Amino acid sequence: MARGHQKALSQQRNAEKQAKAKKAVGNDQKNAAMASLHHKCTVCMSMMPDPKTYKQHFESKHPKSTMPPELVDVQA
């Protein structure tokens, strides 16, 4: 194996390079998406990005439940 040592060094350098690239990326898409969801449904605990979507969700998924007071004046 003439390339044994050279191969091991190359793999080590590549592993270090991959680790640095992984650290540089930072947040992934899932964390960024969760950060944008601010409104939580009081019935099913699903997350919505804005009050308009929250009201539409509440009207379609929970028609028998009473509307939360923060959604009464929202235009859907």
Side-chain angles (χ1 to χ4, degrees):
M1 298 223 21
R3 286 187 40 96
H5 181 66
Q6 191 177 12
K7 179 181 176 183
L9 287 176
S10 177
Q11 287 176 343
Q12 183 181 7
R13 284 190 205 120
N14 189 30
E16 290 171 2
K17 184 177 171 184
Q18 294 293 329
K20 285 181 185 178
K22 191 173 184 181
K23 283 185 180 179
V25 170
N27 292 339
D28 58 353
Q29 285 183 331
K30 187 174 182 180
N31 289 340
M34 287 302 293
S36 69
L37 300 176
H38 300 291
H39 301 280
K40 185 182 248 186
C41 180
T42 56
V43 178
C44 64
M45 300 301 170
S46 63
M47 304 284 284
M48 265 74 58
D50 55 59
K52 182 178 178 182
T53 308
Y54 182 15
K55 185 169 184 174
Q56 290 173 347
H57 160 82
F58 206 90
E59 290 171 343
S60 66
K61 301 292 182 182
H62 315 294
K64 294 181 182 178
S65 301
T66 57
M67 183 87 56
E70 66 263 16
L71 296 180
V72 173
D73 59 344
V74 175
Q75 293 286 333

